[in-house]
Amino acid sequence: MNRDQKAAVIHEVAAQISDAEAVFAVDYRGISVPQAAELRTRLRDADASFRVVKNTLTERAADKAGAEALKELLEGPTAMTFVRGDAAAAAKALADFSRTSGLLTFKGGWMNGAPLTADQIVAISRLPSREVLYGRLVGMVASPLTGLAAGMSNLISGLGRQLAQIAEQGLVGGDAPAPADTTTSTDTQED
């Protein structure tokens, strides 16, 4: 790789670091090309990318992007996962791949300008996805409204039942029974 190619890689990786919501570093020892392709497909679904770059170039890119905490993770074979979408979904994809293949060891990462330990990434992988959390939030917000709507519906249907009973008794409308005559009649005689 010549100097211009290295500069281009450094610029590209620095841009990926800057654009990422999170960056996860993993030890990729033992992963085959087909396995890496499978992992890239899983990560693409989570709006993340998996990239292997020489550590020296990644160090320079981290300096350029202002992510010095990543430099500590660049010892030995290191692949970076750049997450643009849901960090929990990307961490879950990595953890699932690691569990099924027995490969990939979390080294640490970087999220919102703060360093992450390997244990923190594992904890992130156990979180529900963003869509699930949005669904739960909507459910929590809608719950009181649903209760209010059900209460109003019950109130209206109860009122309807009461009015139906009153109508059946003939207390409303033109079918009401004539009130009993309470006046006394006087007999009038004809002469």
Side-chain angles (χ1 to χ4, degrees), residues 3-14:
R3 178 174 273 193
D4 291 339
Q5 291 171 326
K6 288 179 182 179
V9 169
I10 291 169
H11 177 72
E12 189 177 323
V13 172

Side-chain angles (χ1 to χ4, degrees), residues 36-187:
E38 176 191 345
L39 178 59
R40 283 185 175 98
T41 301
R42 289 185 190 185
L43 288 170
R44 195 173 305 117
D45 293 340
D47 198 16
S49 60
F50 182 77
R51 185 159 186 185
V52 177
V53 180
K54 288 178 122 184
N55 288 348
T56 55
L57 299 178
T58 305
E59 284 179 11
R60 291 181 185 152
D63 281 336
K64 188 173 181 178
E68 286 79 21
L70 289 177
K71 292 169 45 176
E72 299 171 13
L73 308 172
L74 300 173
E75 293 194 20
T78 305
M80 306 301 270
T81 301
F82 302 101
V83 183
R84 291 171 301 283
D86 187 359
K92 192 178 306 282
L94 286 168
D96 289 345
F97 181 84
S98 176
R99 189 174 27 262
T100 58
S101 69
L103 303 171
L104 295 186
T105 306
F106 287 113
K107 290 184 165 189
W110 184 70
M111 186 170 179
N112 297 328
L116 294 172
T117 65
D119 292 336
Q120 288 172 322
I121 296 173
V122 171
I124 290 170
S125 74
R126 292 182 182 140
L127 291 174
S129 70
R130 189 177 289 172
E131 288 78 24
V132 170
L133 290 175
Y134 284 154
R136 288 181 184 174
L137 177 63
V138 168
M140 287 174 29
V141 169
S143 179
L145 297 176
T146 304
L148 176 63
M152 295 299 285
S153 174
N154 290 338
L155 179 67
I156 291 170
S157 64
L159 179 62
R161 283 191 299 272
Q162 292 298 319
L163 289 175
Q165 287 176 356
I166 292 170
E168 285 174 8
Q169 294 172 2
L171 299 176
V172 291
D175 298 339
D181 192 10
T182 57
T183 60
T184 59
S185 64
T186 56
D187 289 337

